[in-house]
Each structure stands twice: as structure tokens, then as C-alpha cells.
Amino acid sequence: MKILSIQSHVAYGHAGNSAAVFPLQRLGHDVYPVLTVTFSNHTGYGPARGPLIAPDDVREVINGVEDRGVFPHIDAVLSGYQGAESVGEIILDAVARVKAANPEAIYCCDPVMGDVGRGFFVREGIPEYMRDEVIPKADIVTPNQFELEFLVGRPLATQAEVDAAAEELRGRGPRVVVVTSVLTSDTPEGTIQMACYSDEGAWLVTTPLLPMDVKGGGDVTAAVFLAHYLTDGPRVALSRTAATMYGVLEKTHAAGSGEMLLVSEQQEIAHPREVFEISAIS
């Protein structure tokens, strides 16, 4: 499969395309990475050095990829953090052009906006832009619970409320909604959950909660889910994504590393050790 991934890039650590490209490649997919920024490090560390890529330059790179005649062969477009509406418009334009060339292509959007404990960490206006303009045009969206709460405009305290919110979001356009970092009153103590909702069914997976805060985890989750979805569908994608994320993060925590050990623990991407039970959501 061939994936056009339009995201940020960092030299140190794993975020945006620096988190997404390697797992996609390790799982056998060709990736065309287009960079929207090139920073020294994830901004979660504090100040980062390096430039924002001018929107016109991002568009030119995409135009150059199109010039190579590959748009009819692209199976998916992947996006993550969108720092400005102008970049979002370029991404949506690229999605439209890829789909015009290949109507079977899909758009997977990780609606990066914020998280529990940090709140919103994007520029004012971006959450509303994601909600109103981007989400309706996506085929797959991968919000965390905090982002899902914003997208539907209410807090989600129980699993049933998460289920209803995800189905509401599906009603706005996306075929598949993956909710990450689910913690509700129904979540077993000491665990964290991930849920997937699709036309084929809805499922929940529970994994141990590790006492760590990892940068770029959502970017890897979206990439790994998309990689497996393209070849095996939503249920298998949820199962393998949960196993991979737990495997990589467990090894990262055991090593005391502040950055995901994506490369040294790449077997957890290709052949994760753990298999977690998938429960159907009625």
C-alpha cells in the first residue's frame, strides 16, 4: 500500500512523520512523507528550533509528488497536527485530488488538539476548524477521549457515553472512529482502553496502564491503525494497534526512556508479543 503522510517532523525524538513513517514502513507500506514543520524536537519539551514550512512550499511538495503520476496509486492520506487553517486547507485539497485520482483512497485524520492534563495545545481556532471542516471529510479519525469530548461538546464519564459520542461523530462523515486513552468509570482500575467503531462493528480493548507520559504516542497509534486497517480491516487493526502500543511503551518504560523505543523495539511493531482480548460493543 502507498500512503501520503502530511505531518510535522522533528529531528530529536518521535512526533508527526518522525513517529509515523517508520512504523508504516516496518509494516510493509510505501510512504511519501510531506513535512509541515521541521523542528529540533517535540514542543512538549519546551522551545523548539527550526522553521515552519510555508504553506505554499507544502503545496509545492505535494504538487511535485502528483507530477510523478502516483496519485492514482495512493491508498491513503494520513495527517496529524495542523498548526494553521492554511495548512489544513492544503491537506484537504490534497485529499480531494488523491480521491479524484483514486476513488478507493481513504483519508485518516488524527485530530491533534489536546489531552487530559494539558488541555488544548494548538492555536486558538484550530479545534473548531478540525471539528467543522476536517472531521466531516475524513474516513478514519483517531481522537483521544479529551478530543472526542470537544468534538461532541460534552464530557464523557461512562463507556456508554463514549460509545454514543463516537457514533455521533460517525454520523458527521467518518466511517471509522478510533478513540484512544479511554478512561471512564467503567474502565477497570489500573488499565486504559481503546475503542473502535465502524460499519462492521464496534470493539473495545483493555491494556495495563503504564505510569508514563509519552510524546508522539498518538501519532504512532494513528499510523499503526491505518497500516493494519488497509490490509486487515478495523477489528484486527484495533487488536494489533493495542498490542504494538503496549509492547513499545512497556519496553520504553522499563528502559526509563523519555522517548519511545520505536527502532530498537521494532519487533513490537511487526510481531507484538502480547495479545489482548477484544470485546464487542453492542
Side-chain angles (χ1 to χ4, degrees), residues 256-275:
S257 173
E259 281 290 340
M260 288 179 289
L261 304 180
L262 284 180
V263 177
S264 64
E265 302 303 329
Q266 60 185 275
Q267 281 300 103
E268 295 293 344
I269 300 171
H271 306 289
R273 293 168 296 124
E274 299 286 349
V275 177

Side-chain angles (χ1 to χ4, degrees), residues 115-130:
D115 205 351
V116 173
R118 293 181 65 188
F120 290 109
F121 48 70
V122 294
R123 187 174 62 77
E124 185 177 349
I126 293 298
E128 292 78 11
Y129 179 78
M130 295 293 290

Side-chain angles (χ1 to χ4, degrees), residues 48-174:
R49 301 187 181 216
L52 297 165
I53 309 298
D56 285 345
D57 291 335
V58 176
R59 189 190 303 276
E60 276 299 288
V61 173
I62 294 170
N63 289 343
V65 174
E66 184 178 30
D67 289 344
R68 304 281 67 78
V70 298
F71 273 21
H73 309 290
I74 290 176
D75 299 285
V77 179
L78 173 64
S79 73
Y81 171 77
Q82 299 183 21
E85 291 89 336
S86 56
V87 174
E89 290 167 1
I90 289 168
I91 293 171
L92 292 180
D93 177 66
V95 169
R97 287 155 57 192
V98 167
K99 287 191 170 191
N102 177 14
E104 298 301 313
I106 62 173
Y107 173 33
C108 178
C109 170
D110 181 15
V112 178
M113 296 180 284
D115 205 351
V116 173
R118 293 181 65 188
F120 290 109
F121 48 70
V122 294
R123 187 174 62 77
E124 185 177 349
I126 293 298
E128 292 78 11
Y129 179 78
M130 295 293 290
R131 179 191 64 201
D132 300 336
E133 301 296 332
V134 180
I135 295 296
K137 297 179 177 66
D139 299 292
I140 301 173
V141 293
T142 61
N144 59 38
Q145 185 173 331
F146 174 88
E147 291 159 343
L148 180 61
E149 289 178 340
F150 168 77
L151 292 171
V152 298
R154 60 184 183 274
L156 306 171
T158 67
Q159 185 60 49
E161 290 174 349
V162 172
D163 299 342
E167 290 298 343
E168 178 182 327
L169 201 62
R170 287 206 326 124
R172 301 181 193 176

